[in-house]
Amino acid sequence: MHTMFRRIIYLFLLAAVMASLSACAGRDRDEPRGETAAELYDYAHRQMVARDYTGAVEAFQRIESRFPFSIEAQQAQLELIYAHYKSGNHEQAEAASDRFLREQPRHPEIDYVHYVRGLINFDRSLNLIDVTFRADSSKRDPTLARQSFQSFATLVANYPESRYAPDAQQRMVHLRNQLARHEIHVADYYMRLGAWAGAVGRAKTVIEEYEGTPSTVDALIILHNAYRRLALHELADDVARVVAATHPDATTRLAD
């Protein structure tokens, strides 16, 4: 009995030792063996490739704290933006991009920073619940969408040859349509309240700032109908003529 008990203990201890050795071996393979900035950066990059973005963030931060004046530390600042973004830490990613733009404004990859900064707020302007239930994200606060649009616009305007510019332009089209729809939602709300002047203001914003978006016709309809409510019949007739010329199918939506 005692012999069997001792054998069980022995096997248990042996398994524990083997597990410990295996873990150490794993750490030896994954973690940097040396203390140089290059070795730490190589490790951080491998974490990025493995999509362990949390591990990558920790590694890049270690480079910055231990080798603040190294080339690797400068690159770590850049990589941290994306690592934070992919980790879902959007606020940290935005802060990291702010810091990079402030400290390294002439970096050759500054276009990339503007692009990722646009992506950060592009994703934040969406909501998982909205996507799941197919809700219209344009009904939400447009602040993040505007910030995203501005980042992409800066990229396209200042770095038109950037490889990120084409994707940024496509996203800008989406954001512009979304921002225009937001103005329409607010204008509709004012119409329901009977705040005709407020509806006119929002409709004009769409026509003047978001010309060419699908929401333009909705803005013209709201503008016409609000003018009718305000007894500004000449202005309403002018808008009606524009609708008839540009969107004849929508004339049935004009108020009498």
Side-chain angles (χ1 to χ4, degrees):
M1 186 72 176
H2 292 293
T3 301
M4 180 160 301
F5 180 74
R6 284 198 298 271
R7 183 174 179 79
I8 292 173
I9 294 297
Y10 170 77
L11 291 173
F12 176 79
L13 292 174
L14 179 61
V17 170
M18 292 300 291
S20 177
L21 290 174
S22 177
C24 289
R27 284 194 297 270
D28 288 340
R29 286 193 301 269
D30 296 335
E31 294 186 0
R33 291 178 177 276
E35 298 294 330
T36 69
E39 287 167 330
L40 278 173
Y41 183 82
D42 179 67
Y43 168 71
H45 180 70
R46 282 187 279 118
Q47 299 302 99
M48 291 281 280
V49 172
R51 298 185 180 182
D52 179 5
Y53 299 111
T54 300
V57 166
E58 295 173 355
F60 286 130
Q61 289 175 336
R62 280 160 60 190
I63 294 172
E64 285 197 280
S65 63
R66 294 173 61 182
F67 306 96
F69 304 110
S70 66
I71 295 176
E72 289 80 6
Q74 293 181 10
Q75 190 64 19
Q77 278 190 18
L78 180 66
E79 301 283 3
L80 264 174
I81 301 170
Y82 189 75
H84 276 310
Y85 163 62
K86 294 300 289 185
S87 297
N89 300 321
H90 293 142
E91 291 183 1
Q92 292 92 325
E94 189 169 20
S97 68
D98 284 340
R99 177 190 172 196
F100 193 93
L101 291 172
R102 184 175 62 253
E103 296 183 1
Q104 302 192 54
R106 300 183 185 279
H107 193 280
E109 295 186 71
I110 205 71
D111 59 326
Y112 171 76
V113 177
H114 288 294
Y115 176 66
V116 177
R117 186 177 175 82
L119 290 179
I120 293 166
N121 286 320
F122 187 89
D123 286 0
R124 292 173 73 188
S125 70
L126 303 177
N127 182 279
L128 183 59
I129 295 177
D130 291 339
V131 173
T132 301
F133 294 99
R134 302 180 183 275
D136 188 348
S137 59
S138 65
K139 295 180 181 179
R140 305 178 66 230
D141 186 340
T143 300
L144 294 173
R146 289 196 183 102
Q147 291 174 354
S148 177
F149 185 91
Q150 185 56 53
S151 295
F152 288 137
T154 299
L155 165 63
V156 171
N158 296 336
Y159 311 95
E161 302 302 319
S162 169
R163 61 174 173 160
Y164 307 107
D167 184 70
Q169 288 175 317
Q170 291 184 10
R171 292 176 187 272
M172 286 172 67
V173 171
H174 170 82
L175 289 166
R176 194 164 180 266
N177 290 341
Q178 179 176 320
L179 290 169
R181 287 200 308 274
H182 175 78
E183 295 296 326
I184 293 299
H185 289 313
V186 177
D188 280 336
Y189 175 72
Y190 284 150
M191 290 292 286
R192 291 194 299 272
L193 288 181
W196 319 123
V200 166
R202 293 290 181 157
K204 283 185 174 181
T205 295
V206 174
I207 295 168
E208 294 169 2
E209 297 184 16
Y210 303 108
E211 181 183 4
T213 64
S215 296
T216 301
V217 61
D218 297 314
L220 288 169
I221 298 300
I222 291 171
L223 189 61
H224 171 274
N225 295 344
Y227 279 152
R228 283 279 186 246
R229 294 289 187 173
L230 291 167
L232 299 172
H233 299 297
E234 290 186 7
L235 290 177
D237 290 342
D238 289 340
V239 176
R241 283 190 285 271
V242 172
V243 173
T246 59
H247 302 88
D249 294 342
T251 55
T252 57
R253 298 166 57 190
L254 299 175
D256 295 330

